[in-house]
Amino acid sequence: ENSKNSSGINDVYRVYLPSSDIFSTLTYTGTKDYVATEMVNGDTVDEFKTKFLKDIYYKRNYRKIYPREAARIQGFPKDFLLHDDDRVAMRQLGNAVAPPIVFELIKEIFRTGAL
């Protein structure tokens, strides 16, 4: 039996394909975000959905997003130090404001003199 609520279906919130160029906002509950371990394709939306459910979701061909991956998705530099506990690191990253966004906002503040 499936359970569906605002935190996903059966405790899975999102599953990204390995080729994803765009990721939704990571949240501190990032443990519910996953990456598929293989690709699926479909000629139509319905075909894609059917293949995704059959080959990825039901077979559990997905894995959690690792903290280092989450840091890179958020725009943190490669050498950014993460907490040793993955759960704490994911919570910190999920609550963080992406550094590139902060940089662009500061540039715009200085450009416009809005200080």
Side-chain angles (χ1 to χ4, degrees):
E1 179 176 312
N2 291 333
S3 66
K4 179 181 176 188
N5 58 36
S6 62
S7 63
I9 298 174
N10 296 332
D11 217 26
V12 175
Y13 189 56
R14 295 177 282 223
V15 179
Y16 298 99
L17 292 177
S19 62
S20 293
D21 291 329
I22 298 172
F23 286 82
S24 301
T25 302
L26 297 176
T27 64
Y28 81 93
T29 59
T31 56
K32 296 178 182 182
D33 291 331
Y34 298 86
V35 175
T37 56
E38 59 185 62
M39 286 295 300
V40 293
N41 293 302
D43 292 329
T44 66
V45 171
D46 287 338
E47 182 183 2
F48 176 82
K49 285 181 187 178
T50 300
K51 287 182 177 183
F52 178 84
L53 289 170
K54 178 180 165 271
D55 297 336
I56 304 294
Y57 183 75
Y58 293 129
K59 291 182 180 179
R60 296 184 171 266
N61 286 329
Y62 52 85
R63 62 167 178 77
K64 289 183 179 181
I65 294 175
Y66 300 121
R68 181 56 56 195
E69 291 171 317
R72 297 301 294 147
I73 290 167
Q74 286 281 75
F76 285 88
K78 290 179 183 178
D79 60 349
F80 183 79
L81 297 177
L82 296 171
H83 196 281
D84 290 336
D85 182 325
D86 285 355
R87 291 180 313 145
V88 173
M90 289 301 284
R91 180 163 285 162
Q92 290 172 329
L93 292 164
N95 283 329
V97 177
I101 299 299
V102 174
F103 178 76
E104 292 301 321
L105 285 172
I106 291 171
K107 271 187 6 185
E108 190 64 15
I109 289 169
F110 280 112
R111 187 187 70 74
T112 61
L115 288 175

